[in-house]
Amino acid sequence: GESVGLHLPTLSVQEGDNSIINCAYSNSASDYFIWYKQESGKGPQFIIDIRSNMDKRQGQRVTVLLNKTVKHLSLQIAATQPGDSAVYFCAERRAGNNRKLIWGLGTSLAVNP
Amino acid sequence: DAGVTQSPTHLIKTRGQQVTLRCSPISGHKSVSWYQQVLGQGPQFIFQYYEKEERGRGNFPDRFSARQFPNYSSELNVNALLLGDSALYLCASSTGVGETQHFGDGTRLSIL
């Protein structure tokens, strides 16, 4: 269903550590998944995407893992930096005619220096 | 290259008024989507347009309407504003329906 959360989960990490942000998606028919980063006062920024025929994709310092069996998505950030502090959203795209994005609740990442 | 641009950046209205928000997509993008984001929540889908035609509509009342122009820019109109319409309104553009969306920084609408 649609995102209806009222309180964002928060992840606090030390600078230099690796971060793992998790997301459970709702529809087994979804065929495309995207991670966005949203800094305060800005719009969501595309980070990385993955299609349902893959289970892992790597970018610069980021890796997305997809487990279709349990409908779980994760974003791993290596060597987390203060500039990574933001709210992270996963989004799923439903297959079919109405290909709108369905957004997850969001996780607030705080990086401690 | 310019990203998605939205105007105005901030807007204050009173209940019952009407508002028009504007969006210019990334050059070459033919699809524009509108989202409402309430503080502390993820974006909620309002509309998607592609080649000037509505391609998707979220669960919003008829007070919300939109259109897309021949140059692919778009306007979102909200009539009879309510306090609950206070939110960040985001516009996203993409090359087509279902493709990766790129967002502007939004219009912050406050209803008094």
Side-chain angles (χ1 to χ4, degrees):
Chain A
E2 304 282 351
S3 172
V4 293
L6 296 178
H7 301 285
L8 290 175
T10 299
L11 175 65
S12 184
V13 300
Q14 290 298 122
E15 182 178 357
D17 287 353
N18 296 334
S19 303
I20 300 176
I21 301 172
N22 296 303
C23 179
Y25 63 93
S26 58
N27 194 310
S28 57
S30 294
D31 63 355
Y32 180 57
F33 305 88
I34 312 172
W35 280 100
Y36 283 93
K37 170 187 179 183
Q38 188 172 24
E39 297 175 274
S40 180
K42 294 188 176 182
Q45 177 186 5
F46 172 86
I47 303 174
I48 192 168
D49 58 2
I50 188 168
R51 298 190 184 275
S52 58
N53 60 352
M54 303 171 66
D55 54 17
K56 180 179 180 179
R57 190 164 188 219
Q58 288 184 294
Q60 186 177 14
R61 284 201 306 118
V62 294
T63 300
V64 56
L65 299 177
L66 175 63
N67 186 329
K68 295 181 285 294
T69 302
V70 295
K71 293 188 287 188
H72 183 267
L73 196 66
S74 69
L75 177 71
Q76 300 177 2
I77 304 174
T80 312
Q81 303 168 0
D84 295 326
S85 295
V87 177
Y88 290 80
F89 292 97
C90 66
E92 60 181 293
R93 185 186 69 189
R94 303 286 168 82
N97 292 330
N98 188 9
R99 299 164 73 81
K100 67 180 182 180
L101 292 181
I102 306 298
W103 292 72
L105 176 63
T107 297
S108 178
L109 176 65
V111 181
N112 303 313
Chain B
D1 286 342
V4 177
T5 57
Q6 293 186 242
S7 63
T9 55
H10 295 84
L11 200 52
I12 299 175
K13 292 284 189 178
T14 57
R15 282 178 294 176
Q17 286 189 310
Q18 174 266 340
V19 68
T20 298
L21 311 180
R22 295 176 176 82
C23 172
S24 293
I26 291 171
S27 178
H29 285 194
K30 298 182 178 181
S31 181
V32 168
S33 298
W34 287 96
Y35 292 83
Q36 180 195 67
Q37 186 176 27
V38 175
L39 191 64
Q41 298 186 26
Q44 297 289 313
F45 173 74
I46 309 176
F47 289 109
Q48 182 169 31
Y49 278 78
Y50 176 73
E51 292 278 16
K52 297 176 289 180
E53 292 189 1
E54 182 183 301
R55 290 299 192 93
R57 174 184 286 254
N59 187 25
F60 280 80
D62 292 343
R63 299 184 295 108
F64 289 77
S65 63
R67 56 180 175 169
Q68 187 177 32
F69 299 99
N71 66 354
Y72 304 112
S73 67
S74 178
E75 287 183 351
L76 175 71
N77 295 285
V78 187
N79 294 323
L81 287 166
L82 303 174
L83 292 177
D85 295 332
S86 294
L88 179 68
Y89 288 84
L90 293 163
C91 173
S93 76
S94 56
T95 54
V97 175
E99 300 303 321
T100 302
Q101 297 185 347
H102 300 269
F103 286 80
D105 286 336
T107 294
R108 173 71 62 186
L109 176 63
S110 299
I111 311 301
L112 303 180

